[in-house]
């Protein structure tokens, strides 16, 4: 799985052009990404200096409103913008002109129109990988970024590494040592050094909030002279070649921004001469950004008591940290929107960031978003959870947590709400048309919680989707309600496997598919552990499921298979001790399965994204004998609940005839929430609102 650290652009283009066409027999994989369909991010900019006017300065959109655009950075000239975009079904780094900072407010809309030409991709499309946190060196010849193109040597190790691509030749050099992960790189103003957050050789150990990284520095040209600069820090940024800012989550629970003064040792290595905290406790301050063009100023994202939104503020440190002044940037312009990951132009004139371009009920999310895949199957992200295809592939059932929905796979007719309560997951009967199995009740609940398996009949046995609400019927199949969930039918339509907590532990049972427990039930697995998320293979031979039986109660899950008669139990894939591998679904030929796992750990600092409970989920496939592991998705979000159909959907985005509203309907990291009565500790700083500075 190893590959050269240096790749040539021309060779990659040839390989991409020679890639085989997708086979119609490969089928389609569909999955969900928590919140991602609602992001609609664009990159914006505002003046860095506080406005002297009573009205806020006009906000300028720097990206074109196509797809999802984020993690921007100005080019060294300040006249161009680098950013990450997910257009064309893959993450890439793009370059687009940035309007001059002297532009007047009256020209705002005209400038956005002028900036509507398609941006230029800077990296090859192959291999499918995450590309993130781009920065150019001062001479513009090298692009520094994070990529997940090369697999880690062990499971549950991050693939994220820092690369520098020489743009004239297309040659990419890995700057991160083998066996190590790096996040959030920042290039020094001189271009000589790059700083990054890294867990070092210890690697990732399951963190979902703060990654416990340290700040390392190394040469930008070849990664040499790598040095541990600061323990316990993330998201570094340079104010100048002798000053570095970073964030840290302290023992008091608050994220704070720190400043390190850097000196060069006699052997040419960098070291931190001093480190000081520049933001007080009492509110969260993180993802700092600075520029040599704005000495004494640092932009930060904040979450303050009494606010449900993260905003960008500028801190004036010219009088020292104890007398710092804070200036609001984004709250006066868009108070009810989250603003992420500020960056400052080299000339010090502007601060950029990304936010959702909608208002919460404007742009509608796509039903199905087509993604580039390294596998022959077409790959889609759906605006929902627990999707499953009808046997003919014409319809998709999914849940909204709450709500059960059905939609045509071509987007026609709009989504149809079948049930308004909480339901999870979904699976279609193979023989009886228009019958969907699901479970009704709370998710992530204890063994004794009332959850029941039901069969939902759509009342359209012809499969045309025309059944009315009055024709929908729901039949409860389980008795007792002791967390009966995750139903999956046998291909002959006679039986239904599901998990139940009726014994005091979540184990697997098989019952009659049409009459439920009343028609017969037997126990498939038995033990003081959790067996769950079961799926019956299309050939009828196997049932796959997730289980913690290897270490009950520890929170670690692996995927197992068992014959329906209870024989042949074996483990298929396990990421590592403490790892999670869940939601198996068989391929149409029953020879492979798709699943979600933390096998590739995390790919970015979680605080740089909206809320994700488990920011390590990626989609993988594997042969049922445990060979042929392949990673399908590369992002820093939470992917999960995949399913697989034999029908091949053309790889194109699918909207809906009747669009559903909901762009920007996502939340910030839940662990940044602040109680209303939380008060900032006194730290001697000033908060500036307009021209008035008020004490805290």
């Amino acid at each position: 799985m190893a590959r050269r650290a240096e790749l040539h652009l021309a060779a990659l283009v040839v390989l991409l052009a020679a890639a085989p066409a997708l086979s119609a027999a490969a089928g389609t994989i569909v999955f969900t990404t928590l919140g991602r369909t609602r992001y609609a991010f664009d990159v914006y900019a505002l003046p860095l200096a506080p406005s002297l006017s009573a009205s806020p300065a006009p906000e300028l959109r720097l990206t074109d409103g196509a797809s999802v655009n984020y993690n921007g950075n100005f080019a060294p000239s300040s006249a161009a913008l680098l950013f990450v975009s997910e257009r064309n079904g893959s993450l890439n780094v793009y370059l687009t002109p940035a309007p001059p900072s002297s532009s007047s407010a009256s020209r705002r809309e005209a400038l956005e129109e002028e900036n509507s030409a398609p941006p230029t991709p800077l990296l090859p499309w192959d291999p499918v990988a995450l590309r993130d946190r781009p920065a150019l060196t001062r001479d513009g010849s090298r692009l520094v970024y994070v990529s997940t193109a090369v697999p880690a040597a062990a499971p549950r190790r991050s693939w994220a590494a820092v690369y520098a691509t020489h743009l004239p030749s297309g040659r990419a050099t890995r700057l991160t040592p083998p066996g190590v992960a790096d996040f959030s790189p920042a290039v020094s103003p001189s271009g000589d050094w790059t700083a990054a957050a890294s867990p070092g050789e210890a690697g990732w150990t399951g963190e979902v909030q703060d990654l416990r990284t340290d700040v390392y520095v190394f040469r930008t040209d070849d990664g040499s002279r790598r040095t541990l600069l600061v323990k316990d820090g993330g998201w570094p940024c340079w104010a100048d070649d002798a000053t570095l800012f970073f964030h840290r989550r302290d023992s008091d629970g608050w994220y704070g921004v720190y400043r390190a003064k850097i000196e060069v040792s006699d052997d040419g290595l960098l070291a931190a001469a001093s480190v000081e905290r520049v933001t007080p406790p009492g509110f969260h301050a993180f993802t700092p950004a600075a520029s040599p063009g704005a000495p004494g100023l640092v932009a930060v994202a904040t979450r303050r008591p009494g606010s449900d939104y993260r905003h960008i503020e500028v801190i004036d440190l010219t009088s020292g940290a104890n007398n710092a002044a804070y200036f609001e940037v984004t709250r006066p312009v868009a108070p009810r929107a989250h603003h992420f990951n500020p960056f400052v132009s080299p000339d010090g004139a502007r601060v950029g960031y990304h936010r959702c371009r909608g208002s919460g009920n404007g742009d509608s999310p796509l039903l199905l978003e087509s993604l580039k895949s390294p596998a022959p199957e077409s790959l889609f992200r759906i605006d929902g959870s627990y999707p499953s295809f009808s046997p003919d592939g014409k319809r998709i059932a999914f849940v909204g947590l709450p709500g059960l929905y059905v939609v045509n796979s071509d987007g026609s007719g709009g989504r149809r709400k079948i049930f308004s309560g909480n339901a999870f997951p979904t699976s279609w009967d193979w023989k009886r048309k228009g019958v969907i199995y699901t479970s009704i009740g709370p998710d992530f609940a204890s063994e004794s919680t009332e959850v029941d398996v039901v069969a939902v009949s759509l009342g359209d046995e012809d499969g045309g989707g025309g059944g009315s609400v009055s024709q929908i019927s729901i039949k409860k199949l389980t008795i007792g309600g002791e967390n009966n969930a995750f139903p999956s039918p046998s291909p002959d339509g006679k039986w239904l496997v599901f998990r139940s907590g009726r014994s005091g532990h979540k184990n697997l049972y098989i019952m009659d598919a049409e009459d439920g427990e009343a028609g017969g039930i037997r126990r498939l697995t038995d033990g003081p552990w959790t067996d769950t998320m079961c799926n019956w293979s299309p050939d009828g031979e196997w049932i796959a499921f997730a289980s913690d039986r290897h270490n009950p109660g520890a929170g670690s899950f692996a995927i197992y298979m068992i014959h329906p008669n209870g024989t042949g139990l074996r483990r298929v894939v396990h990421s590592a001790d403490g790892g999670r591998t869940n939601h198996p679904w068989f391929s149409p030929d029953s020879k492979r399965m798709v699943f979600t796992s933390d096998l590739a750990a995390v790919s970015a600092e979680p605080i740089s994204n909206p809320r994700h409970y488990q920011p390590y989920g990626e989609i993988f496939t594997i042969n049922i004998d445990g060979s042929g592991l392949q990673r399908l998705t590369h992002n820093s979000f939470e992917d999960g609940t995949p399913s697989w159909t034999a029908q091949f959907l053309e790889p194109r985005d699918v909207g809906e005839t009747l669009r559903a509203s909901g762009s920007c309907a996502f939340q910030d990291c839940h662990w940044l929430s602040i109680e209303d009565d939380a008060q900032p500790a006194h730290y001697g700083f000033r908060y500036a609102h307009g021209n008035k500075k008020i004490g805290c």
Side-chain angles (χ1 to χ4, degrees):
M1 298 178 73
R3 57 179 292 171
R4 294 174 299 179
E6 296 188 353
L7 302 171
H8 290 84
L9 177 62
L12 283 173
V13 171
V14 170
L15 287 172
L16 180 60
L22 293 176
S23 167
T28 299
I29 292 172
V30 62
F31 67 96
T32 187
T33 304
L34 179 65
R36 162 60 183 76
T37 57
R38 307 303 171 105
Y39 289 171
F41 287 146
D42 264 324
V43 179
Y44 294 80
L46 281 165
L48 181 69
S51 174
L52 300 178
S53 171
S55 59
E59 182 182 52
L60 183 64
R61 192 175 76 179
L62 301 180
T63 49
D64 58 6
S67 187
V68 177
N69 310 298
Y70 53 93
N71 284 350
N73 205 349
F74 286 107
S77 66
S78 300
L81 174 76
L82 294 163
F83 65 98
V84 176
S85 183
E86 299 189 15
R87 64 193 67 204
N88 301 312
S90 181
L91 279 77
N92 208 333
V93 175
Y94 290 81
L95 184 70
T96 191
S101 56
S102 59
S103 302
S104 65
S106 62
R107 292 197 62 219
R108 173 170 165 258
E109 292 186 2
L111 286 168
E112 289 181 351
E113 182 66 26
E114 291 172 12
N115 201 36
S116 62
T120 303
L122 296 183
L123 295 170
W125 294 107
D126 194 52
V128 174
L130 173 142
R131 281 94 170 187
D132 199 13
R133 294 286 292 157
L136 283 171
T137 55
R138 185 172 62 177
D139 62 2
S141 65
R142 282 188 172 85
L143 175 69
V144 177
Y145 56 97
V146 171
S147 175
T148 57
V150 178
R156 228 167 171 244
R157 305 283 291 193
S158 176
W159 297 20
V162 175
Y163 291 78
T165 291
H166 182 248
L167 293 177
S169 67
R171 189 178 67 181
T173 301
R174 179 175 171 132
L175 305 183
T176 301
V180 174
D182 281 336
F183 311 104
S184 314
V187 178
S188 66
S190 67
D192 295 337
W193 297 93
T194 292
S198 176
E201 294 183 359
W204 181 69
T205 56
E207 298 86 2
V208 296
Q209 298 180 13
D210 179 64
L211 296 185
R212 301 178 186 173
T213 55
D214 303 320
V215 176
Y216 288 79
V217 290
F218 42 86
R219 297 290 295 181
T220 304
D221 54 356
D222 60 5
S224 64
R225 303 188 192 178
R226 185 180 177 97
T227 305
L228 172 60
L229 186 72
V230 175
K231 291 284 292 182
D232 190 14
W235 204 269
C237 72
W238 302 82
D240 52 56
D241 272 39
T243 308
L244 190 82
F245 289 95
F246 61 93
H247 67 213
R248 171 187 292 167
R249 193 173 192 180
D250 289 289
S251 58
D252 55 24
W254 301 105
Y255 270 95
V257 172
Y258 286 73
R259 176 170 54 189
K261 290 294 185 180
I262 300 172
E263 60 185 10
V264 182
S265 64
D266 293 338
D267 55 3
L269 301 178
L270 300 189
S274 64
V275 175
E276 66 169 332
R277 183 173 180 170
V278 300
T279 61
F283 68 99
H284 294 298
F286 45 91
T287 57
S291 167
L297 301 182
V298 58
V300 298
T302 65
R303 275 291 300 274
R304 289 186 174 271
S307 174
D308 293 329
Y309 298 92
R310 71 166 73 183
H311 282 293
I312 308 303
E313 300 181 26
V314 172
I315 311 172
D316 186 347
L317 295 169
T318 54
S319 298
N322 288 341
N323 294 293
Y326 288 69
F327 299 93
E328 294 181 305
V329 177
T330 58
R331 193 189 66 81
V333 177
R336 297 180 62 82
H338 296 296
H339 300 77
F340 296 87
N341 306 350
F343 56 99
V344 179
S345 60
D347 61 11
R350 289 177 289 181
V351 56
Y353 50 87
H354 62 267
R355 68 167 177 85
C356 191
R357 56 182 168 264
S359 59
N361 58 2
D363 294 335
S364 294
L366 291 166
L367 168 65
L368 295 170
E369 181 182 5
S370 175
L371 304 180
K372 293 186 183 297
S373 171
E377 296 79 25
S378 59
L379 182 66
F380 288 89
R381 175 187 289 123
I382 191 170
D383 181 36
S385 295
Y386 294 105
S388 65
F389 283 88
S390 60
D392 61 7
K394 294 181 179 180
R395 290 184 291 178
I396 305 172
F398 61 93
V399 301
L401 299 175
L404 170 65
Y405 299 85
V406 172
V407 69
N408 294 335
S409 56
D410 63 2
S412 63
R415 64 189 70 193
R416 176 186 173 200
K417 181 180 282 189
I418 304 302
F419 176 72
S420 59
N422 199 60
F424 70 100
T426 68
S427 59
W428 295 75
D429 192 282
W430 291 91
K431 300 298 183 181
R432 293 185 294 153
K433 292 184 178 180
V435 173
I436 300 168
Y437 299 104
T438 188
S439 44
I440 294 176
D443 49 334
F444 297 104
S446 66
E447 284 80 357
S448 61
T449 303
E450 185 174 350
V451 182
D452 274 302
V453 172
V454 299
V456 180
S457 177
L458 302 181
D460 55 353
E461 284 74 12
D462 61 354
S468 66
V469 173
S470 62
Q471 292 175 302
I472 296 172
S473 63
I474 299 178
K475 180 179 180 179
K476 191 170 78 165
L477 300 178
T478 50
I479 302 171
E482 293 176 307
N483 212 326
N484 305 296
F486 290 97
S488 179
S490 61
D492 61 9
K494 295 180 179 180
W495 304 102
L496 201 65
V497 63
F498 65 103
R499 76 106 196 271
S500 178
R502 63 189 64 200
S503 70
H505 302 284
K506 295 176 181 176
N507 291 153
L508 301 187
Y509 296 77
I510 293 177
M511 65 178 170
D512 187 274
E514 191 165 356
D515 295 327
E517 290 190 44
I521 184 170
R522 62 181 175 88
R523 191 166 185 166
L524 181 62
T525 65
D526 185 359
W529 49 67
T530 294
D531 297 332
T532 187
M533 304 174 188
C534 40
N535 181 249
W536 209 312
S537 65
D539 65 6
E541 290 295 315
W542 292 100
I543 292 171
F545 60 98
S547 178
D548 69 350
R549 58 177 57 213
H550 52 279
N551 192 3
S556 174
F557 282 81
I559 290 176
Y560 293 79
M561 293 197 322
I562 192 171
H563 288 304
N565 64 4
T567 65
L569 176 71
R570 57 187 172 91
R571 191 165 74 182
V572 180
V573 59
H574 178 44
S575 61
D577 290 342
R580 292 190 174 187
T581 303
N582 291 318
H583 299 291
W585 195 285
F586 280 100
S587 62
D589 62 5
S590 302
K591 295 180 180 180
R592 292 182 291 163
M593 62 177 69
V594 62
F595 60 94
T596 184
S597 179
D598 63 357
L599 276 161
V602 295
S603 299
E605 294 188 55
I607 197 172
S608 65
N609 286 324
R611 181 176 71 175
H612 288 273
Y613 293 108
Q614 299 171 153
Y616 47 73
E618 301 286 353
I619 305 300
F620 293 81
T621 59
I622 196 169
N623 297 328
I624 63 171
D625 64 1
S627 65
L629 180 69
Q630 186 172 36
R631 181 178 179 177
L632 300 188
T633 62
H634 292 253
N635 58 61
S636 59
F637 310 134
E638 180 183 346
D639 296 335
T641 64
S643 67
W644 202 331
T645 181
Q647 280 64 38
F648 179 80
L649 296 185
E650 292 297 328
R652 60 179 179 82
D653 292 343
V654 178
E656 295 179 63
T657 303
L658 302 175
R659 303 293 296 278
S661 63
S663 287
C664 306
F666 60 86
Q667 296 177 309
D668 200 5
C669 300
H670 58 284
W671 35 273
L672 291 179
S673 297
I674 303 170
E675 297 296 331
D676 291 339
D677 58 354
Q679 295 295 325
H682 179 69
Y683 206 69
F685 74 96
R686 300 166 294 162
Y687 192 81
H689 183 76
N691 296 322
K692 184 180 180 182
K693 295 179 180 178
I694 55 178
C696 230

